[in-house]
Amino acid sequence: MVSNSEKYTEKKARRSLSEEKRHSIAGYLFVSPFFILFAIFGLFPMLFSFYLAFFKWNGLGEMTYNGINNFTIIFNDPIFWKSIYNTVIIGLLGTVPQLIVAFLLAYALNSQVLRFKNTFRVAIFMPYVTSIVAVAILFSIIFNNQSFGLVNSFLGIFGVEPIVFTQSEWGAKIAIAAMIFWRWVGYNTIIYLAGMQSISNDLYEAAKIDGATLTQQLRYITLPMLKPFVLFTVFMGTIGSLQIFTEPLIFFGGNLREEGITVVAYLYRDAFENNFFGTASAVAIVLFVIIMVFSVINLLVTNRLGRGKARKA
Amino acid sequence: MNKVLKAGLVAGGVMAILAGCSSDEGESGTAGSSGGDSGVIDMWVFGTTGYEKLAEAYMEENPDVEINIQTTEMGDHHNNLFTALSAGQGAPDIAMIEVGEIERYREAQDRFVNLYDLGAGDVQGNYLDWVWNVGGSADGEFQFGLPTDIGPTAMYYRTDVVSEAGYPTDPAELAAEVDTWDKYATFAKDIAEATGKPVVDNAELIFNAKRDQASEHYFNRDNELIVEENAEIREAYDYTVDLINADAVGNMPLWTPEWGQGMAEGSYATLLGPAWMQGVVKGNAPDATEWMITTMPEGAGNWGGSYLTISEESEQQEEAYAFIEWLVSPENQLESFKDMGLFPSTPETYAAEEFNNYSDEYFGGINTAAVFAEAAEQVNDVYKGRNYLLVQGEIMTALNNVLSSGGDPDQEWEDAMERIKQRLERE
């Protein structure tokens, strides 16, 4: 039973909603689907992962509080540190040459002399569209351990002994980095190309009149004007390479060996192969912190570069 | 009410319903969801079982029962089941669990029906003891599932490679000549000398063959790690290392293209595999006429097979049990064998006429079923424990390091033991 006075206040409250307020409520309701879905599939798993990092849990049995032991266990595991080292090395091997090549490709695609430009653009972007799993399977054939593998038979021409890629410290890393290179180089090329096309042609014309060579144009016009694009790709590349996962998983065919295990692969092995959800969550938190640190470094660098430019102007 | 506000509320409401869906799924009674009260028995299986056909027959005999079978790929199947059990809802009435995966579910005894309560004790005698025991709890008080097919192992061999080394090609004669692991080692050396080919495809299968004949593996029944003290496992490891050092072990990892190619070309002499490997061999080497099967030295192991379990949340446990008891009875296991080549776990079936008259043209017209039936009765009843695959993976890493990178066997073994202990701290 609702008393009369309560009804009255309720009515009054409803009436007191101004037109403006009602509009804003409607607005929130319209955007709510995203937030509801995010809360269920994004926020909840994240918070639960933080919670789990302090428990032992195998997914089916009882959860038992474990304090910071999960962190102690992973920090004492040499393979965990190896996985961080691998991630960084594979990330560097995969992204640094990739960005350089993407820049050169974009420059070539943007040049006046090249014909069939659109065909090349599509061709270069194609790898990005292919499925990672397909790429990984293809590359495990290219980097096959046997002497008839594509890379090994090529090396064989020069009398090099076949490399056991899945078990070699550098072989595994190079193979995985090659997949990342192949898949992402087109994506970055298109971004650089877009950047280059946004540079006004007047600048190049003025430079030509002043007698600047192609190299000088590249160095003093293209490169500085592309800075924001380069920063964006470096930023995306850093975060992307910290999350390398599918490539090593498929390349090693399930048996994640320490030569090529990455942080996310390490997490996956703990959580979904062995059902040690506690330590897996602890790894997730450590990875979260690492990504935060890298992002902050990236931001600081970006800001500094931005300020430098402003001062010059 | 303001129109804009109304539309917003509708949008919000739709989302709320969508969000709530996950919890309503159980009651909705749609195909493949949980065992609600709709009267339909949901069953999740993987692989090619041919159970749909048997279910049809069962439904004809029992018109009041409706069985709905859903087939998923093996990895996804077990993940879905694990998630459903972990969430506490959404599991089917009947779920198939592969023998290698069953350890994962041991902790969840409360989510399954103890089949002894439904009368499984009456049919226990139909099944091979070791198969039955693997599907039960360590103390034998709780039975998770009824056994379906099994995968007893035998020695597949290439007659061309074997005869080149001067060994008989007839299955019985070869089995008599290579009946111990010592003789197998000599056999390996002879093969290597005469043909330059390895005796096995990779380190994994030779290690597994020896391991499966041990009485205990990596954990004891109290789930304590015993692999380091277990002399039998160390012996299997050392035996594999010796063969590696004698250049008798190939480097063709399972399921890779070169492994399949090796099967077609006869790049190795023997394949120590289970009954269902017959299909794999035929698939990879359809034109090879050289493959034959005989018994393995000193016994056999088991690789593969499944259990049919009933979930605690099922509301038709008795009906579900009646169906699975019928489905994996000796008569119907014979049907599954004839239909899909599933090897029966019921010794009674081995005496059936069709089983005894069975012959396979691909394998030289011999009765392959009889070879595996003999193997099935030799398998040891071992307890595996839920971290079995973790230990196995680390030992394989050690052996592969010895094989491909020339690692020191003792050092690799110790490193593997270290890694195992480090990772088991997380349990």
Side-chain angles (χ1 to χ4, degrees), chain A residues 59 77 146 257 266 270 274, chain B residues 86 107 251 400-401 423 426:
Chain A
D77 184 2
Q146 311 286 324
R257 291 179 53 99
Y266 181 92
D270 259 9
N274 300 312
Chain B
S86 182
E107 305 270 308
N251 196 355
N400 282 327
N401 284 344
R423 288 178 64 199
R426 297 150 200 234

Side-chain angles (χ1 to χ4, degrees), chain A residues 28-44:
Chain A
Y28 282 120
L29 283 173
F30 270 116
V31 295
S32 66
F34 166 76
F35 289 99
I36 294 172
L37 287 179
F38 173 74
I40 298 167
F41 297 107
L43 194 64
F44 172 72

Side-chain angles (χ1 to χ4, degrees), chain A residues 140-157:
Chain A
S140 10
I141 297 169
I142 294 174
F143 290 96
N144 191 292
N145 292 339
Q146 311 286 324
S147 55
F148 55 72
L150 198 64
V151 175
N152 271 336
S153 48
F154 176 73
L155 292 174
I157 301 174

Side-chain angles (χ1 to χ4, degrees), chain B residues 101-393:
Chain B
E101 293 271 346
I102 198 160
E103 307 295 342
R104 258 175 100 180
Y105 299 96
R106 280 212 194 284
E107 305 270 308
Q109 198 164 303
D110 56 330
R111 315 276 161 92
F112 292 99
V113 176
N114 185 355
L115 297 188
Y116 282 128
D117 296 343
L118 295 172
D122 301 340
V123 292
Q124 182 174 357
N126 287 346
Y127 301 92
L128 290 161
D129 284 341
W130 63 266
V131 188
W132 186 265
N133 291 342
V134 172
S137 60
D139 59 9
E141 297 286 314
F142 192 97
Q143 189 66 21
F144 285 93
L146 294 184
T148 62
D149 60 317
I150 51 170
T153 52
M155 184 163 87
Y156 293 69
Y157 65 97
R158 291 278 299 206
T159 48
D160 52 342
V161 181
V162 169
S163 69
E164 212 180 321
Y167 280 81
T169 55
D170 177 74
E173 283 173 41
L174 184 68
E177 200 144 322
V178 188
D179 61 347
T180 66
W181 288 111
D182 284 342
K183 286 187 195 161
Y184 186 86
T186 320
F187 171 65
K189 274 185 199 116
D190 294 340
I191 297 271
E193 260 166 45
T195 66
K197 288 175 181 171
V199 73
V200 285
D201 44 355
N202 51 51
E204 191 169 351
L205 292 195
I206 181 71
F207 174 80
N208 288 358
K210 281 280 283 172
R211 174 202 69 192
D212 286 345
Q213 294 175 6
S215 49
E216 272 188 308
H217 290 181
Y218 309 145
F219 296 90
N220 65 16
R221 280 179 195 275
D222 298 321
N223 230 1
E224 291 159 342
L225 183 72
I226 53 158
V227 60
E228 208 167 5
E229 304 87 66
N230 190 343
E232 285 177 295
I233 294 298
R234 184 62 208 247
E235 200 191 306
Y237 179 85
D238 290 337
Y239 185 84
T240 311
V241 168
D242 286 344
L243 284 191
I244 290 171
N245 290 338
D247 276 332
V249 177
N251 196 355
M252 292 162 256
L254 284 173
W255 318 121
T256 58
E258 59 264 30
W259 183 68
Q261 204 183 357
M263 228 174 242
E265 291 170 358
S267 317
Y268 47 90
T270 66
L271 172 72
L272 306 170
W276 49 261
M277 196 65 92
Q278 294 174 83
V280 180
V281 173
K282 287 175 190 170
N284 277 316
D287 304 322
T289 51
E290 296 89 352
W291 281 106
M292 280 284 248
I293 304 175
T294 189
T295 47
M296 214 192 300
E298 298 183 30
N302 181 67
W303 177 6
S306 302
Y307 293 87
L308 293 176
T309 63
I310 296 176
S311 64
E312 183 58 51
E313 61 188 83
S314 164
E315 288 176 19
Q316 321 157 80
Q317 299 172 354
E318 270 106 47
E319 291 87 343
Y321 177 77
F323 172 61
I324 61 169
E325 189 187 288
W326 176 86
L327 184 65
V328 293
S329 63
E331 305 82 63
N332 283 321
Q333 290 216 15
L334 182 63
E335 292 304 310
S336 299
F337 172 75
K338 287 193 290 189
D339 187 26
M340 288 291 169
L342 304 183
F343 201 81
S345 54
T346 44
E348 197 185 312
T349 315
Y350 307 158
E353 204 189 313
E354 281 128 311
F355 210 80
N356 282 321
N357 296 334
Y358 184 81
S359 77
D360 192 329
E361 283 317 309
Y362 182 88
F363 295 100
I366 57 166
N367 184 352
T368 51
V371 179
F372 289 108
E374 191 190 330
E377 284 166 344
Q378 293 174 336
V379 177
N380 273 338
D381 165 22
V382 278
Y383 176 77
K384 291 192 167 177
R386 58 177 231 94
N387 291 309
Y388 191 80
L389 291 178
L390 185 161
V391 179
Q392 171 75 4

Side-chain angles (χ1 to χ4, degrees), chain A residues 19 26 29 33 40 56 58-60 73 76-77 79 144 146 148 167 257 266 269-270 274-276 279, chain B residues 4 8-9 15 19 82 86 104 107-108 111 251 258 386 397 400-401 404-405 419 422-423 426-427:
Chain A
E19 186 72 3
L29 283 173
I40 298 167
K56 276 189 179 185
N58 61 19
L60 287 177
I73 289 168
N76 282 329
D77 184 2
I79 297 175
N144 191 292
Q146 311 286 324
F148 55 72
Q167 290 185 35
R257 291 179 53 99
Y266 181 92
R269 190 175 71 168
D270 259 9
N274 300 312
N275 301 332
F276 301 149
T279 44
Chain B
V4 182
L9 277 175
M15 289 323 298
F82 188 88
S86 182
R104 258 175 100 180
E107 305 270 308
R111 315 276 161 92
N251 196 355
E258 59 264 30
R386 58 177 231 94
T397 302
N400 282 327
N401 284 344
S404 330
S405 328
R419 291 195 298 266
Q422 217 288 336
R423 288 178 64 199
R426 297 150 200 234
E427 196 188 12

Side-chain angles (χ1 to χ4, degrees), chain A residues 16-229:
Chain A
S16 72
L17 279 179
S18 66
E19 186 72 3
E20 200 185 326
K21 223 172 200 170
R22 257 188 263 167
H23 259 105
S24 70
I25 292 177
Y28 282 120
L29 283 173
F30 270 116
V31 295
S32 66
F34 166 76
F35 289 99
I36 294 172
L37 287 179
F38 173 74
I40 298 167
F41 297 107
L43 194 64
F44 172 72
M46 272 195 260
L47 296 177
F48 191 56
S49 182
F50 268 94
Y51 174 77
L52 262 187
F54 300 95
F55 285 83
K56 276 189 179 185
W57 190 45
N58 61 19
L60 287 177
E62 285 292 301
M63 280 189 206
T64 47
Y65 182 69
N66 201 19
I68 58 157
N69 270 347
N70 287 339
F71 291 93
T72 325
I73 289 168
I74 59 167
F75 286 144
N76 282 329
D77 184 2
I79 297 175
F80 172 72
W81 295 108
K82 189 74 200 290
S83 77
I84 291 188
Y85 167 80
N86 286 346
T87 307
V88 173
I89 296 289
I90 294 173
L92 286 175
L93 281 178
T95 39
V96 175
Q98 181 200 121
L99 296 184
I100 295 171
V101 170
F103 183 85
L104 296 176
L105 280 175
Y107 194 71
L109 282 178
N110 196 35
S111 74
Q112 309 293 324
V113 288
L114 190 75
R115 299 185 63 192
F116 309 115
K117 264 188 207 164
N118 282 332
T119 317
F120 279 114
R121 278 174 203 173
V122 171
I124 281 176
F125 194 68
M126 278 307 262
Y128 177 68
V129 188
T130 48
S131 128
I132 316 183
V133 176
V135 175
I137 291 174
L138 196 74
F139 273 74
S140 10
I141 297 169
I142 294 174
F143 290 96
N144 191 292
N145 292 339
Q146 311 286 324
S147 55
F148 55 72
L150 198 64
V151 175
N152 271 336
S153 48
F154 176 73
L155 292 174
I157 301 174
F158 306 100
V160 182
E161 282 284 299
I163 298 169
V164 185
F165 282 101
T166 50
Q167 290 185 35
S168 127
E169 179 67 31
W170 286 97
K173 291 190 179 69
I174 288 171
I176 294 167
M179 295 177 213
I180 295 161
F181 177 93
W182 186 81
R183 202 169 114 86
W184 287 89
V185 77
Y187 174 83
N188 288 316
T189 305
I190 296 299
I191 288 179
Y192 287 158
L193 185 62
M196 284 174 188
Q197 289 183 340
S198 72
I199 302 171
S200 160
N201 234 342
D202 301 353
L203 287 171
Y204 290 106
E205 271 164 27
K208 263 182 229 156
I209 290 166
D210 290 341
T213 62
L214 268 182
T215 345
Q216 279 169 329
Q217 288 176 28
L218 185 70
R219 214 180 132 194
Y220 296 107
I221 302 173
T222 317
L223 267 178
M225 297 294 279
L226 271 186
K227 208 176 262 171
F229 294 87

